[in-house]
Amino acid sequence: MKTKLFTWLFSAIALVGFASCGDDDNDLPINEVPVAYQNALRAMYPEAVNVEWERNANFYVADFEKPGMDFDVWFGAEATWAMTEIDYGNNLMLLPPAVSSAYSESQYAYTCVVDDVKSYEHTDKAFYIIEVEPTNGGDDIYVYYNPDGTTLKVITQDVDITPVTPI
């Protein structure tokens, strides 16, 4: 009986411990982030507070929030800026008028629910992704837009966008 109780108790504690694990596995303590990267972020976003850093391949990534937005700012070798990703949640109002108009005039505005809205700015391009879920079921749809509102592409697979992801 004691063995069963111990096994059950250990399993419950382990389950709670694993469930509480977040996506902070790659977080770096600030003392492991070179000062050049911290200074580069401060120069671009002096208002950034509560910054969390992580390594992703050859990049240092700074994550911070502003009201209604979550920023991921990527820096490459020698603290050079490589990309900024801004997650707007599902708020289309924060998009440029050309992009929000293009979406509102698309078939997806009438047949889908917005799940997520993101913008990406690279050194050589900028684009927006509106992730939608069809109201009649089916796979999520990812609609890519240029800043001028033209559609770049429409796909049904989630792509992890990094500074080196081909678009």
Side-chain angles (χ1 to χ4, degrees), residues 89-92 103 106-117 129-143:
N90 61 359
N91 191 346
L92 294 169
Y103 175 77
S106 75
Q107 70 187 34
Y108 307 106
Y110 303 101
T111 61
C112 299
V113 174
V114 174
D115 276 347
D116 201 19
V117 178
I129 301 175
I130 301 175
E131 176 188 352
V132 296
E133 183 177 336
T135 54
N136 62 355
D139 294 335
D140 284 355
I141 300 168
Y142 302 84
V143 187

Side-chain angles (χ1 to χ4, degrees), residues 32-100:
E32 292 183 22
V33 178
V35 172
Y37 291 85
Q38 296 175 49
N39 289 341
L41 177 68
R42 226 175 276 118
M44 288 184 75
Y45 297 96
E47 73 283 3
V49 294
N50 300 322
V51 177
E52 294 179 359
W53 289 89
E54 66 179 55
R55 287 281 292 184
N56 190 320
N58 296 322
F59 299 94
Y60 281 90
V61 184
D63 179 32
F64 62 94
E65 294 179 2
K66 291 169 78 172
M69 299 177 275
D70 182 33
F71 285 73
D72 285 342
V73 184
W74 296 61
F75 295 95
E78 299 179 27
T80 55
W81 173 78
M83 179 181 89
T84 299
E85 172 188 331
I86 304 172
D87 187 335
Y88 302 105
N90 61 359
N91 191 346
L92 294 169
M93 301 293 287
L94 297 173
L95 293 175
V99 176
S100 60

Side-chain angles (χ1 to χ4, degrees), residues 7-41:
T7 303
W8 181 85
L9 184 60
F10 180 79
S11 298
I13 291 170
L15 183 61
V16 169
F18 289 129
S20 66
C21 292
D23 63 351
D24 297 335
D25 295 340
N26 298 330
D27 282 357
L28 293 174
I30 193 68
N31 64 341
E32 292 183 22
V33 178
V35 172
Y37 291 85
Q38 296 175 49
N39 289 341
L41 177 68

